[in-house]
Amino acid sequence: MSILLYTLGICMVAITISMFLCLIRLVVGPSIVDRLLALDTLFLNATCLIVILGIYWASTSFFEGALLVAMLGFVSTAALARYFTTGHVVD
């Protein structure tokens, strides 16, 4: 077995633990800013996990999915940040 497979397995476990901790911060977070940062970090971790799974299974379609998740994460974080600061998303 290649060392790449061991490394990808360790990365998947580490990212899964990080996603679990971000989910806890998203639910328990004391302020709305903590929850927003946890959501943004959760999107980033999901993107990284999809890329690692794409490398692990040698499939290029996972990278397109990771790009979609990253774009969705950026737009949702920007929209929520604007909503929490101004009270509306669109002027």
Side-chain angles (χ1 to χ4, degrees):
M1 195 166 182
S2 172
I3 193 156
L4 179 65
L5 296 178
Y6 289 124
T7 307
L8 290 175
I10 291 170
C11 288
M12 281 189 269
V13 169
I15 291 174
T16 305
I17 291 170
S18 175
M19 288 178 79
F20 179 70
L21 293 173
C22 285
L23 186 64
I24 291 172
R25 175 54 69 193
L26 185 66
V27 173
V28 179
S31 71
I32 203 70
V33 175
D34 289 332
R35 291 185 173 134
L36 186 62
L37 287 173
L39 182 67
D40 189 38
T41 308
L42 198 60
F43 272 116
L44 180 67
N45 286 337
T47 303
C48 292
L49 187 64
I50 292 171
V51 167
I52 288 174
L53 286 173
I55 294 170
Y56 187 77
W57 287 324
S59 175
T60 58
S61 60
F62 280 95
F63 300 111
E64 295 171 5
L67 184 62
L68 288 174
V69 169
M71 287 189 301
L72 179 68
F74 173 74
V75 169
S76 67
T77 302
L80 281 172
R82 182 165 173 103
Y83 176 73
F84 291 141
T85 57
T86 62
H88 52 79
V89 178
V90 180
D91 285 329

